[in-house]
Amino acid sequence: MKLTGGQIVCESLLREGVDVVFGIPGGAILPLYQTMSSYPQIRHILTRHEEGASMAADGYARATGKVGVCMATSGPGATNLVTGIATAQMDSVPMVIITGQVAREGIGKDAFQEVDMTGITLPVTKHNYLVMRAEDIATAIKEAFYIANTGRPGPVLVDIPKDVFTEEAEFVYPETVDLPGYKPVLDGHPTQIRKAAQLINEAKKPLILAGHGVIISRAYDELVELAEKAQIPVITTLLGRSAFPDAHVLFVGMPGMHGLAYASLAIDEADLVIALGMRFDDRITGKVSGFAQNAKVIHVDIDPAEIDKNVHADVPIVGDLARVLRQLNPSVEPTTHPEWLRRIEELKSEHPSLHIRQTEKLLPQQVVRDLCDVTDGRALIVTGVGQHQMWAAQHYACKEANSFITSGGLGSMGYEVPAAMGAQVGQPDRVVWSIAGDGGFQMTMSELATIAENNLPVKFAIFNNGFLGMVRQWQEIFYNKDYFSTHYTGNPDFVKLAEAFGIRGIRVTERSQSVDAIREAMAHPGPVVVDFVVEEEENVYPMIPAGQTTAELMEEPLVEEARS
Amino acid sequence: MQDKPGVLNRVASMFRRRGFNISSLAVGHSETLGFSRMTFVVDGDDAIVDQVTKQLYKLIDVVKVSDISKEDVVIRELALIKVRTTPTTRPEVLQMVDIFRSNIVDVSPDSVIIEVTGDEDKVDSLLRILRPFGIREVMRTGRVGLMRGMSKSLALDNGQS
């Protein structure tokens, strides 16, 4: 059966189980869009900016575990996707991006809206394609989905010239892929598993450092089993938040630059760090030579290139985390480490990092705590990047797995609006709270129109301090309070702004209003923007300055109140 | 690696992005249709070579990577050297060409082009010796290599890593 290139794209998407795509049409991709109009099975969500489309696809993918799909036209449409693509690449998010390209004869001629998209995205995609013949589209899309969602997931871009969408070709969707250079290792090597078990069984002060890999691999039960069997305390990375239940007695917290002091200090004292599906980001390690100095390291990751990249692994295991843990757990002897667990309790009481000082002021930490209380810790949290992100990571105690979606690696401000939108599309029945900064929110708030248009009941909590808060904090600490270019003196009225989009807006200026406002937002069936006008110059503590060790750890100045 | 458009760019881009220094790179068709073979020289210790290898494997089009620097290998480089000659210096240049078992591939009234094949030291030595005569242009291919014998062959049909 002969189909046009556009039909082949749509048929291929259907075979990959795609039911929603985010995007914006334009000249080069129009033939595909005009074909898609006769494919009602594929819901197209028209975003207001292509960055909104790529970040919505990212949020959708993280919330569902399925491949997120976004589309844009050539040139500026395609380049606007790039921040969202890079975000997905850094955080291992499965995504397929379909971009229109100028017609074949225009390529290389600086044609109108031409940009070398495969060149631009080379370093920020797992792989990419420029498909020059309609007969190659099906294979490219088949491979794109396979590559995006196997091994270490990531974004794959498929760039298709305008006239290839209209060219006809025989459509046969391939059953399998032929990729001799791509064979992800799934099972851990038995010798390495044995060595890891031995280290765990011999350890006196073992510590599990769990990352995003737990969520991607859905290794929740296996992780709990390992932790409980050998009574090993668990710390998680930022992207590992909600990989292990916060309420679990073995849960310690998130270490690192703005991690909880006792979680960072526990790494210092551990004699074995069991790193599961994480990549030793500099925000976790600080100065690498000072990281986990007393510990041997077991490092499990599906990406061999992560082994020994930043931190040397005494026992490296390459494989899919859930499978590796199922191999490993039977060899781990049931035991407990009462002294070590007691020591961690001691660290917790010596360093009460989650203490919030008593004040009448509207503290952002308290707002996160209120959100957690009212939602019973069961909301799907999506954050932006900065202070509010760190307060959310510290204070929102997740009860459900995969409930904390955030741009970790790239740290993309503005992520909070479109990613929350995508997450809500993927999880229509879950309560989605976007914890937003006033800075990031203004980068992508045009997506409020998309949210209103599709009546997506996302709840936004804007942590409005009138500053690029994290940058201001660095200026305060490292640049003698020179608040150059971080103070917003002309922020919009976010309540009126929301109302202009047809969205309920609520303002909170007093500590006493917070809980009621959150309840009101939850009771409203549609989207809501709550403008929390929080304390302007609040800092995120604890803090370990970039490239330092726990020796430089700074704690909340008023923490004495909690110690007494 | 698979012989596809842009694959050289993928490899080169990875080297650049991750800050690996390559001093030479040569690429051409392999014995198997649809696959190319690339030889490159990277400066770095074992840890860097390990990372380079792993990062190369992350490229979808890369099928097999081997560090041949510690293996029993044949390594060759080809260079074309254009040297200024006069009637008086030409015999001396020709003598050097003989000693180095290289060839004259072009002669013009005031210069010759020499083709030399060998390991990097040999090419370097010849260049050093020719320098006093006046080297006009040099084009070097960069090193290419193959492992000796069959046991550790990099042949693609022996299965992938």
Side-chain angles (χ1 to χ4, degrees), chain A residues 274-391:
Chain A
I274 306 157
L276 305 176
M278 56 82 65
R279 60 182 179 84
F280 294 108
D281 179 83
D282 56 84
R283 258 45 184 169
I284 287 286
T285 62
K287 188 176 174 184
V288 173
S289 60
F291 177 78
Q293 279 180 304
N294 300 308
K296 293 208 159 148
V297 173
I298 297 169
H299 189 185
V300 185
D301 204 281
I302 198 158
D303 180 357
E306 290 304 339
I307 306 293
D308 286 347
K309 187 182 79 178
N310 294 342
V311 168
H312 172 69
D314 297 282
V315 177
I317 303 176
V318 174
D320 173 73
L321 187 57
R323 291 167 76 143
V324 169
L325 289 181
R326 284 198 287 271
Q327 289 173 279
L328 174 67
N329 287 351
S331 313
V332 172
E333 288 159 14
T335 181
T336 185
H337 308 92
E339 274 179 43
W340 174 225
L341 294 173
R342 208 173 305 125
R343 173 61 187 149
I344 285 180
E345 287 311 310
E346 210 170 87
L347 286 170
K348 280 185 183 175
S349 60
E350 284 169 12
H351 303 273
S353 301
L354 288 179
H355 173 72
I356 300 175
R357 68 181 186 278
Q358 291 302 310
T359 169
E360 284 310 298
K361 291 173 178 168
L362 184 60
L363 291 185
Q365 304 92 314
Q366 186 60 49
V367 174
V368 176
R369 208 65 80 76
D370 292 345
L371 275 166
C372 188
D373 288 344
V374 176
T375 57
D376 190 29
R378 294 181 191 282
L380 176 50
I381 299 295
V382 180
T383 85
V385 172
Q387 288 185 313
H388 67 281
Q389 177 190 34
M390 293 298 115
W391 285 315

Side-chain angles (χ1 to χ4, degrees), chain B residues 73-145:
Chain B
V73 286
V74 177
I75 292 183
R76 290 290 180 272
E77 181 176 16
L78 184 143
L80 295 174
I81 306 165
K82 188 185 285 179
V83 186
R84 191 198 309 271
T85 51
T86 62
T88 44
T89 60
R90 188 172 290 136
E92 211 178 328
V93 168
L94 291 180
Q95 198 184 358
M96 291 306 149
V97 167
D98 255 4
I99 291 170
F100 276 83
R101 277 178 277 174
S102 46
N103 300 311
I104 301 288
V105 291
D106 185 65
V107 181
S108 58
D110 54 357
S111 68
V112 294
I113 297 177
I114 300 162
E115 174 206 292
V116 57
T117 305
D119 59 20
E120 203 181 23
D121 285 349
K122 177 177 167 183
V123 177
D124 286 345
S125 307
L126 179 59
L127 279 170
R128 203 163 42 243
I129 283 163
L130 293 173
R131 190 158 296 127
F133 299 102
I135 292 174
R136 306 285 295 271
E137 287 173 63
V138 175
M139 182 68 222
R140 300 174 71 152
T141 59
R143 281 168 270 183
V144 296

